[in-house]
Amino acid sequence: MLSVILPAYNEEKMLGKSADIISKILEDAKIEYQLIFVNDGSKDNTWNEIEKAVSNNQNIVGVNFSRNFGKESAMLAGLATATGDCCAVIDCDLQHPPEVLVEMYRLWEQGYEVIEAVKRSRGKESLMHKASAGLFYKLISKAVNFDMSRASDFKLLDRKAVDSILSLPEKNTFFRALSSWVGFKATSVEFDVQEREAGESKWSTRALIDYAITNIVSFSSAPMQFVTVAGVLTFIFGMIMGIQTLIKFLTGKAVEGFTTVILLVLIIGSLIMISLGIIGYYISKIYEEVKGRPRYIISKTIGK
């Protein structure tokens, strides 16, 4: 059986349509399925729409969070609830074309255990959003050592891969990278991002930046290397300035340095503050992990 996880946040306008379209596609393909809608603390009538969908289709399950915990938590909650032999994650707004699920499922039947759906095109986006998204994927690719340039949360995983991800104890997860990190026999399919029919995107430029920082820190220690590199560069610069000052002193020339001293103090002070900020961010994430709080709290589950 195929379990399809659909995180939903303020998706009252699209939820019913998503349930109908995905159900029809899988039924026409004669694939036994289970749809799991995870309401991530929506402020609209998303949960009411989930309840309607469950009452109309016995293959649908609804999971309701006590508050908004974020998409990463919603995906993990869906995977933990799923009972299928393989699990797919897809956006509730149908920007991920649901017909690709059939192609991914057929590849799973051929023995592939991780099927990644990669973006052939990103659809219509503002220039600012494209630029910020491009920068994000370049940074995250270097940080995690995987090519994330066309990655998405749209993927299908074998039960072994799902269990491996769920067994990880960390609270701050990055699902897109974890699916590659766990290994297993993998392949990919391409898709074109569809235009949203209703509602609005939850990913502003600021949200994308926050998402990038959180996931880079949660999956890589690369930013910590900046502290070391900055320290080495500052030391080399200081040595050069020290030698220059010593030479001028020995040759009897006046040491002109007020402006230089001010600049050095500003540069070194800035580097120290940036370094402390990076270290502090990592310490905050360690603090969150040590507290051991759950990734999410479920207030209600409906359906079989």
Side-chain angles (χ1 to χ4, degrees), residues 121-170:
S121 65
R122 297 185 57 87
K124 293 181 180 179
E125 292 179 327
S126 67
L127 185 62
M128 182 66 179
H129 192 81
K130 282 186 178 180
S132 57
L135 177 60
F136 162 67
Y137 286 116
K138 284 181 181 178
L139 289 174
I140 201 70
S141 294
K142 289 183 178 180
V144 304
N145 294 321
F146 301 128
D147 181 14
M148 304 291 294
S149 59
R150 298 192 296 162
S152 72
D153 293 321
F154 188 18
K155 55 196 67 194
L156 186 147
L157 307 173
D158 182 78
R159 172 52 59 182
K160 289 188 293 185
V162 171
D163 291 341
S164 296
I165 291 175
L166 293 176
S167 69
L168 299 175
E170 63 212 57

Side-chain angles (χ1 to χ4, degrees), residues 181-195:
W181 181 85
V182 295
F184 298 107
K185 186 178 181 181
T187 188
S188 63
V189 297
E190 291 187 330
F191 74 96
D192 295 309
V193 177
Q194 306 300 302
E195 292 301 314

Side-chain angles (χ1 to χ4, degrees), residues 39 63-67 69 73 77 294-300:
N39 180 35
V63 176
N64 191 33
F65 280 178
S66 61
R67 64 169 178 83
F69 284 93
S73 295
R295 295 172 177 138
Y296 51 83
I297 298 174
I298 295 175
S299 64
K300 190 177 182 180

